[in-house]
Amino acid sequence: MPQITYRQAIKEALAEEIERDPNVFVMGEEVAQYNGAYKVTEGLWEKYGDKHLVDAPISEAGFIGLGIGASMLGMRPVMEFMFWSFCYVAFDQLLNNGSFCRYMSGGLMNVPIVVRGPANGGTNVGATHSHTPENLCANHPGIKVVCPSNAADAKGLMKTAIRDNDPVFVMENTVLYGQKWEVPEEEYLIPMGKANILKEGKDISLIAHGRAAITALEAAGKLAEEYDIDAEVLDLRSIRPLDVEAILATVKKTNRVVYVEENKPFASVGAQITSIIQEEAFDYLDAPILRVSTIDAPQIYSMPLEKIQIPDADRVVKKVLKIC
Amino acid sequence: MTAKKKTKSVKKAERWQDVDVHELAKLEINQRLTDEEKVRLYTDMVRIRRFEGRSLRSYQEGKIGGFLHLYEGQEACAVGTISLLGADDHVITAYRDHGHALAVGMSMNECMAEMYGKHTGCSKGKGGSMHFFAPDKNYWGGHGIVGGQIPLGTGIAFALKRQGKKGCCLAYMGDGAINQGAVHEAYNLAGLWDLPVIFIIENNAYSMGTSQARSSAYPECLAQRAEAYGMDWDTVNGNILYDVRAKTYEAIKRAHEESRPTVLEVFTYRYRGHSVADANHEKYRSKDEILDYKENKDPITLTRKQFIEEGVLTEESAKDIDKAAMEEATASAEFADKSPFPPATSILEDTYWSMDNKGQDPQIDELNQGRFIFEDGGVYDK
């Protein structure tokens, strides 16, 4: 299997879906003629033209709302946020119109929109550009939230998201954009709501989403090498729908859990997963569930300190050693 | 795509614009109305008035919860504008949405039942007064957040253009919405991309309890802000059905033939408060002002007068229309009253398409395996 970057994988997903369905178009700031702020859409405008790649002015509320309106009439908009950090100026559109239109109409209408872009810290850009809104968005029934941790997932989940009839928010990661993974050459789809065991193990479960799954995988390597602890790593892939079955299965197998995430800890995805585990599998736990999250302060600018603020493998290892 | 900049010279808009009804009647767009169609338009206006009256009563009886934003006084705007729409033309509006709903052909029963929170309501009791929808009639709501529907309407126009359809979208808002950022972002997109959307500001003079003088930096004319975005604009006497039709017709032609947006400012007046809960509505405006509109500028009275003069209506036939509308409204309240509330299980339904359509498309089901939706065991036991 050839190795391609996370960025290239998403681009292939967009290109394949544009070719498959004439209703698909990508809209966002600098996605067309500029070739994408992070080059995710590089070359697509040249190939598919104005009909499928649309440069929007810096008006997130305006163009996200426009995408939602267009999707009501059967278009398949893929809206790019240059950063998910910019979603807050479009919150009314995303979270009132995107998530609730179907419900408030008693199911008479659908909003088959994809909103995608990077949602991560770790790039030394300060608090305003380092948001991780997956927990916030998942708190709105009607929306699906996907956080791919690697290139193969990014492609397969993106294609699924574009074909899905509900609004799907795909949260990517700029740190991953340039990294390579093996990606199948033939067409494939990855369903939402199916977690992925990145590494089998028996002593403890490291459950994670997004890039934190890669951090967890690295930690699992260290745990095996240095402490002879065999950790299982479960990558959720999507926050909503959520693969509760897979979560409970790994808990029942290892009886110990550390949740790893780049979300801030207060009311985070990890907090939610912890609640589900204690409710559904309390008797299987041999230790309290612990969490490794981004340190609970606005994202700091200073480079060495931001490295401390975001979870790394060493922090995960330390946390694991508390209960293993 | 390049925006064609067409602007007008600055003009100060008057809330009450004297227009010559007889001249307007001679316009082709009004001439082409048959007697039957005129009676239909009049009937629709009266039906809205009576429906609103009846819903107020139901609200006061405690049958309707939440907010109730009544449309009484503004009927000519919804009926006049919507009377011009064809198969590929669409409508989206804000929370004062009953008039538009009836004008597009939704039934009083489904609308009243929705306000009662009943299963027979247009949105199965999930939307309420502010959230009526009928996509089969090109009616996309019914939206609760001021100005939030305007980008959606712009998107509908975008889709129409992209799909090569000769249609347009009427996107209604109140005068309060004009100061929302999302409206201006949508204006810019519509002007920039030549979208066939018609922004209709139903200017009823008050953003809840705040007059334009106290809320808008340039209160003389809200439509004129269109010029900043290279859009055409016009003002309309919203109490004169023929004027509403004439100006809307021009805008629709511009949308259909040139794919250009328009801003129309329709001067109108609401007799009730912002919502029924607005206890101050006789404090921020005078009783005399309300009375003046009711006695001298009422759209239904003025339309009736014109149609009687034209020989389309008689005092008698107008009374019959009114009586029938009242009966229909009363019957809708009875229908709503008798209808069942939705079952508790419906709380979870209609959240996700893919959940509601399980089994219909095996590929979709495959994609959605493992779905988990948080649920409150206290409300719904699987």
Side-chain angles (χ1 to χ4, degrees):
Chain A
M1 235 187 289
Q3 285 209 338
I4 61 169
T5 62
Y6 188 97
R7 171 190 287 117
Q8 176 69 21
I10 297 169
K11 187 196 301 181
E12 286 181 8
L14 298 177
E16 288 173 22
E17 292 308 299
I18 284 171
E19 293 199 5
R20 179 179 173 270
D21 182 349
N23 288 311
V24 174
F25 68 88
V26 179
M27 180 182 279
E29 290 150 11
E30 311 292 5
V31 297
Q33 302 193 28
Y34 189 90
N35 274 322
Y38 282 101
K39 305 292 173 216
V40 170
T41 53
E42 192 171 27
L44 294 183
W45 176 67
E46 212 163 72
K47 194 163 178 200
Y48 300 111
D50 291 335
K51 263 196 128 169
H52 294 283
L53 274 295
V54 186
D55 278 326
I58 303 172
S59 307
E60 284 86 357
F63 73 73
I64 292 289
L66 181 146
I68 293 168
S71 79
M72 284 156 34
L73 246 61
M75 300 301 294
R76 294 272 162 174
V78 181
M79 315 301 289
E80 178 177 303
F81 276 132
M82 193 182 290
F83 300 87
W84 262 100
S85 287
F86 302 162
C87 75
Y88 301 90
V89 295
F91 245 30
D92 177 47
Q93 296 302 324
L94 292 167
L95 301 181
N96 273 318
N97 295 338
S99 54
F100 301 154
C101 270
R102 175 176 171 77
Y103 191 78
M104 289 193 307
S105 69
L108 292 175
M109 54 202 269
N110 303 318
V111 179
I113 191 175
V114 172
V115 185
R116 51 154 291 270
N120 58 283
T123 55
N124 194 217
V125 288
T128 55
H129 286 57
S130 304
H131 285 278
T132 52
E134 61 267 29
N135 55 332
L136 268 174
C137 292
N139 193 239
H140 292 73
I143 288 172
K144 297 173 181 175
V145 180
V146 177
C147 301
S149 71
N150 61 75
D153 282 5
K155 182 173 178 184
L157 286 165
M158 188 69 71
K159 285 167 67 79
T160 303
I162 294 171
R163 295 183 196 186
D164 198 272
N165 285 335
D166 292 310
V168 185
F169 294 180
V170 184
M171 313 232 172
E172 302 159 11
N173 192 309
T174 53
V175 178
L176 301 178
Y177 276 152
Q179 295 182 27
K180 288 187 173 178
W181 280 268
E182 285 189 345
V183 174
E185 279 179 290
E186 67 282 0
E187 182 175 60
Y188 67 99
L189 296 167
I190 294 176
M192 287 180 265
K194 277 282 180 199
N196 185 23
I197 297 174
L198 290 179
K199 178 188 170 298
E200 300 262 4
K202 57 178 177 32
D203 297 330
I204 186 166
S205 299
L206 305 178
I207 310 177
H209 69 273
R211 188 174 77 106
I214 306 302
T215 309
L217 197 58
E218 197 191 322
K222 289 191 176 194
L223 286 166
E225 245 171 65
E226 296 166 28
Y227 301 97
D228 198 26
I229 292 171
D230 184 14
E232 178 149 299
V233 180
L234 183 70
D235 175 3
L236 293 183
R237 282 179 169 156
S238 65
I239 306 304
R240 204 167 178 160
L242 182 67
D243 194 347
V244 176
E245 243 172 76
I247 293 169
L248 299 180
T250 189
V251 173
K252 288 175 184 175
K253 183 176 171 190
T254 68
N255 312 112
R256 286 180 168 78
V257 180
V258 169
Y259 197 88
V260 190
E261 64 187 339
E262 295 192 3
N263 238 183
K264 302 278 164 37
F266 195 94
S268 71
V269 172
Q272 181 61 46
I273 307 298
T274 305
S275 158
I276 291 170
I277 294 171
Q278 67 82 22
E279 194 174 325
E280 303 275 337
F282 185 75
D283 291 343
Y284 292 89
L285 288 172
D286 286 345
I289 303 165
L290 299 181
R291 293 187 289 147
V292 181
S293 314
T294 297
I295 291 171
D296 198 15
Q299 207 81 4
I300 195 164
Y301 163 72
S302 180
M303 201 183 292
L305 270 72
E306 197 191 11
K307 285 206 173 84
I308 295 169
Q309 190 173 11
I310 291 182
D312 62 11
D314 290 339
R315 259 174 72 195
V316 178
V317 168
K318 260 192 217 163
K319 200 67 106 171
V320 168
L321 294 178
K322 285 189 175 179
I323 52 170
C324 263
Chain B
M1 288 180 283
T2 51
K4 286 162 253 135
K5 309 275 182 210
K6 285 191 205 163
T7 55
K8 287 186 182 181
S9 61
V10 177
K11 64 178 176 186
K12 184 176 155 94
E14 299 290 339
R15 277 206 56 75
W16 177 252
Q17 294 178 306
D18 275 322
V19 291
D20 187 335
V21 182
H22 298 105
E23 285 304 312
L24 288 166
K26 287 180 199 159
L27 294 174
E28 199 261 328
I29 187 61
N30 291 323
Q31 281 283 321
R32 76 164 71 147
L33 284 172
T34 64
D35 286 1
E36 212 173 45
E37 284 167 341
K38 285 179 185 174
V39 171
R40 183 75 247 163
L41 295 182
Y42 179 75
T43 304
D44 278 349
M45 289 168 63
V46 173
R47 286 175 67 242
I48 293 169
R49 176 79 49 101
R50 290 307 180 191
F51 179 79
E52 294 296 60
R54 188 61 188 79
S55 60
L56 174 61
R57 210 177 112 192
S58 296
Y59 186 88
Q60 287 161 341
E61 289 167 358
K63 304 271 189 187
I64 295 175
F67 300 126
L68 183 65
H69 308 88
L70 296 172
Y71 199 65
E72 288 161 288
Q74 303 186 204
E75 295 89 345
C77 181
V79 170
T81 50
I82 288 168
S83 69
L84 294 157
L85 301 186
D88 283 325
D89 298 318
H90 296 254
V91 171
I92 191 164
T93 187
Y95 44 81
R96 199 178 303 284
D97 61 345
H98 310 166
H100 310 79
L102 294 182
V104 300
M106 290 175 73
S107 72
M108 283 195 194
N109 280 359
E110 62 183 317
C111 292
M112 190 66 85
E114 182 59 33
M115 289 195 274
Y116 275 58
K118 295 299 180 77
H119 201 41
T120 50
C122 53
S123 301
K124 297 189 237 169
K126 292 184 164 172
S129 158
M130 298 188 284
H131 309 111
F132 291 176
F133 294 86
D136 63 320
K137 298 179 173 68
N138 291 359
Y139 181 62
W140 299 97
H143 294 267
I145 305 298
V146 173
Q149 75 283 8
I150 298 302
L152 300 186
T154 310
I156 288 168
F158 180 89
L160 288 168
K161 183 169 182 168
R162 176 70 159 56
Q163 293 164 349
K165 289 184 177 147
K166 198 174 168 178
C168 69
C169 184
L170 305 189
Y172 298 82
M173 68 191 109
D175 43 288
I178 194 70
N179 294 321
Q180 279 280 31
V183 170
H184 289 267
E185 294 189 16
Y187 272 16
N188 183 54
L189 296 174
L192 181 69
W193 291 338
D194 296 315
L195 300 180
V197 55
I198 300 163
F199 300 109
I200 299 178
I201 306 164
E202 294 194 61
N203 184 341
N204 60 24
Y206 299 93
S207 318
M208 195 163 163
T210 305
S211 68
Q212 266 118 56
R214 294 175 56 231
S215 61
S216 289
Y218 184 67
E220 287 82 0
C221 179
L222 304 178
Q224 200 189 335
R225 297 187 192 190
E227 288 183 15
Y229 304 102
M231 291 189 286
D232 285 278
W233 60 278
D234 215 333
T235 55
V236 184
N237 183 331
N239 299 317
I240 307 292
L241 186 70
Y242 283 163
D243 198 34
V244 174
R245 277 177 55 87
K247 304 278 177 52
T248 308
Y249 176 65
E250 292 302 319
I252 290 177
K253 235 176 24 182
R254 193 174 293 123
H256 284 182
E257 286 164 22
E258 301 169 47
S259 189
R260 287 292 301 156
T262 304
V263 178
L264 290 179
E265 182 174 3
V266 181
F267 293 110
T268 181
Y269 197 79
R270 62 168 152 78
Y271 296 158
R272 307 284 178 180
H274 163 70
S275 74
V276 177
D278 174 11
N280 286 329
H281 82 105
E282 288 183 352
K283 291 182 184 158
Y284 56 75
R285 55 187 189 175
S286 69
K287 281 185 185 176
D288 287 349
E289 180 183 294
I290 302 171
L291 202 65
D292 175 45
Y293 271 93
K294 281 186 176 173
E295 289 188 347
N296 304 314
K297 300 165 183 172
D298 180 68
I300 292 181
T301 309
L302 293 176
T303 306
R304 184 169 61 236
K305 195 169 151 237
Q306 174 66 19
F307 285 177
I308 287 175
E309 206 179 295
E310 291 179 23
V312 175
L313 284 178
T314 63
E315 291 288 355
E316 271 312 299
S317 67
K319 270 185 195 148
D320 290 344
I321 288 168
D322 190 55
K323 189 163 167 270
M326 273 175 83
E327 283 168 6
E328 190 187 355
T330 305
S332 75
E334 282 163 12
F335 170 81
D337 213 22
K338 281 187 197 144
S339 292
F341 284 106
T345 49
S346 81
I347 292 173
L348 279 173
E349 290 161 6
D350 303 317
T351 308
Y352 292 95
W353 183 93
S354 46
M355 268 190 89
D356 299 331
N357 292 278
K358 246 181 163 27
Q360 287 192 15
D361 182 342
Q363 194 195 0
I364 294 282
D365 288 348
E366 174 65 26
L367 293 180
N368 287 288
Q369 275 176 11
R371 163 154 323 203
F372 177 86
I373 304 297
F374 299 111
E375 62 195 44
D376 184 339
V379 176
Y380 174 40
D381 289 319
K382 249 197 297 201

